[in-house]
Amino acid sequence: MNKDDYMLFKEGLSRGEEYLFTYHDVNYWISHGPNGDSSLARDDGTYCQDFNSLDELLKKLN
């Protein structure tokens, strides 16, 4: 993902969009809520990690 794509991705999350992506053949959801919380979850519901902010979540993904 280049810098422009990353900025569009981050902007979409900040507006409340959710994204589904695949990593090592496992599907994950990433989302950011209006109250400031963010989460990363497996699509099958077996794993969920919550974050206090979008920046905290994105730093964890790097």
Side-chain angles (χ1 to χ4, degrees):
M1 175 181 303
N2 66 34
K3 184 178 178 179
D4 291 335
D5 290 339
Y6 176 79
M7 294 306 293
L8 288 172
F9 170 71
K10 186 175 179 181
E11 182 181 314
L13 282 169
S14 68
R15 288 192 314 260
E17 294 179 9
E18 296 180 330
Y19 294 99
L20 175 68
F21 65 95
T22 303
Y23 180 72
H24 291 286
D25 296 323
V26 178
N27 291 329
Y28 293 88
W29 282 101
I30 187 172
S31 64
H32 176 71
N35 59 354
D37 61 331
S38 300
S39 63
L40 172 66
R42 280 191 183 173
D43 192 35
D44 64 5
T46 60
Y47 171 84
C48 183
Q49 190 171 6
D50 295 319
F51 300 89
N52 294 318
S53 70
L54 181 56
D55 287 334
E56 182 183 354
L57 181 147
L58 293 173
K59 285 179 186 177
K60 180 70 173 184
L61 293 178
N62 286 329

